[in-house]
């Protein structure tokens, strides 16, 4: 979910507080996202946009998932002790969570991105607002090209498996070039990805400017 920068004064106090403390949250932001649901709804407490119009059955499934997760974590904590649980479980989880958040955020945020409304959005338009990020040859390879093959993943997620993302991206760029539509594709070299996530999150957070919203 995005927030319009010019409408920031109208945000809920919880959202405002989250924005003001954004840089302190960054190392544990995935944890904050799961528990507090900023920006689009809670995964532990069922509120927000992601739960709008969901059936009671879906909410019960979510509740069951939460209970199982807490019971698993609690059992491990009880049997391992606080120190071992922290070192063996929580630290790796935080590192993995930060990586997942960073990759996902940078795939869906760019300085020239636009936001479509429900009336102007289409699946293809939305897919081309995602960004292929080049983290460097070996990181791309070790990550199965999930960062530099993200656009084609959005366009053909039911047809292109991850192990074909690299060649599918090459084909996509070639096809767009032949059709004179190269401008639709966005790719950003991001070898300094840790600095980029800090910069982007500090400057933009989940805000977008009004002039970047496509309303008609």
């Amino acid at each position: 979910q995005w927030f319009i920068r010019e409408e920031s004064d109208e945000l809920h106090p919880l959202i405002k507080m989250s924005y003001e403390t954004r840089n302190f949250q960054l190392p544990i932001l995935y944890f904050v996202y799961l528990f507090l649901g900023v920006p689009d709804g809670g995964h532990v407490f069922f509120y927000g946009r992601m739960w709008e119009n969901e059936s009671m059955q879906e909410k019960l499934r979510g509740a069951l998932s939460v209970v199982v997760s807490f019971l698993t974590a609690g059992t491990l904590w009880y049997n391992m002790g606080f120190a071992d649980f922290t070192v063996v479980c929580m630290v790796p989880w935080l590192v993995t969570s930060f990586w997942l958040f960073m990759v996902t955020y940078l795939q869906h945020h760019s300085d020239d991105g636009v936001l479509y409304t429900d009336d102007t959005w289409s699946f293809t338009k939305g897919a081309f607002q995602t960004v292929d990020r080049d983290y460097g040859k070996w990181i791309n390879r070790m990550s199965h090209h999930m960062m530099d093959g993200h656009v084609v993943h959005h366009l053909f997620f039911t047809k292109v498996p991850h192990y074909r993302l690299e060649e599918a991206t090459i084909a996509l760029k070639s096809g767009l070039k032949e059709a004179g539509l190269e401008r639709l594709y966005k790719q950003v070299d991001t070898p300094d990805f840790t600095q980029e996530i800090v910069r982007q999150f500090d400057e933009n957070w989940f805000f977008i400017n009004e002039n970047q919203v496509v309303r008609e």
Side-chain angles (χ1 to χ4, degrees):
Q1 182 172 337
W2 296 82
F3 304 111
I4 309 300
R5 196 182 302 272
E6 288 82 354
E7 299 173 1
S8 59
D9 290 340
E10 302 173 16
L11 293 175
H12 188 280
L14 176 63
I15 303 299
K16 289 182 179 179
M17 182 183 69
S18 183
Y19 171 69
E20 294 297 333
T21 59
R22 63 193 182 283
N23 292 323
F24 296 103
Q25 295 175 28
L26 192 55
I28 58 168
L29 194 65
Y30 195 69
F31 184 86
V32 174
Y33 169 62
L34 292 177
F35 275 80
L36 300 182
V38 178
D40 55 6
H43 290 66
V44 176
F45 306 104
F46 305 133
Y47 75 95
R49 184 175 181 178
M50 68 178 293
W51 293 101
E52 290 177 1
N53 304 318
E54 289 293 344
S55 66
M56 180 57 68
Q57 183 179 20
E58 285 300 316
K59 292 178 180 178
L60 288 174
R61 287 178 180 174
L64 177 62
S65 176
V66 170
V67 170
V68 170
S69 297
F70 273 100
L71 285 175
T72 301
T75 301
L76 290 171
W77 188 341
Y78 178 80
N79 286 284
M80 298 174 68
F82 176 76
D84 285 348
F85 177 77
T86 299
V87 173
V88 175
C89 298
M90 287 307 299
V91 171
W93 184 84
L94 287 171
V95 172
T96 302
S97 297
F98 176 78
W99 177 261
L100 287 174
F101 166 75
M102 177 185 70
V103 167
T104 304
Y105 184 95
L106 292 178
Q107 285 171 337
H108 299 90
H109 291 74
S110 61
D111 292 330
D112 60 348
V114 300
L115 175 68
Y116 295 100
T117 66
D118 291 342
D119 295 326
T120 59
W121 180 87
S122 72
F123 185 87
T124 303
K125 287 179 181 178
F128 277 115
Q129 285 307 307
T130 62
V131 187
D132 278 357
R133 298 272 185 173
D134 186 349
Y135 283 26
K137 179 179 179 180
W138 291 107
I139 295 181
N140 291 339
R141 283 188 176 182
M142 289 189 292
S143 301
H144 306 287
H145 297 282
M146 62 183 291
M147 286 88 74
D148 63 327
H150 190 67
V151 175
V152 77
H153 161 70
H154 268 275
L155 289 167
F156 305 109
F157 69 94
T158 62
K159 299 177 181 179
V160 180
H162 275 70
Y163 56 85
R164 297 293 189 192
L165 286 177
E166 183 179 21
E167 58 192 279
T169 298
I170 294 172
L172 173 66
K173 290 191 287 187
S174 176
L176 290 172
K177 184 176 181 179
E178 290 178 9
L181 296 172
E182 293 173 276
R183 67 187 185 282
L184 295 178
Y185 175 76
K186 292 193 287 188
Q187 190 270 336
V188 180
D189 290 338
T190 318
D192 54 344
F193 47 87
T194 52
Q195 294 96 313
E196 180 67 7
I197 182 61
V198 172
R199 182 189 72 83
Q200 283 278 358
F201 200 67
D202 178 57
E203 294 179 3
N204 297 315
W205 190 59
F206 299 108
F207 279 132
I208 196 165
N209 299 324
E210 175 60 39
N211 62 10
Q212 294 173 273
V213 181
V214 180
R215 298 190 181 278
E216 59 183 28

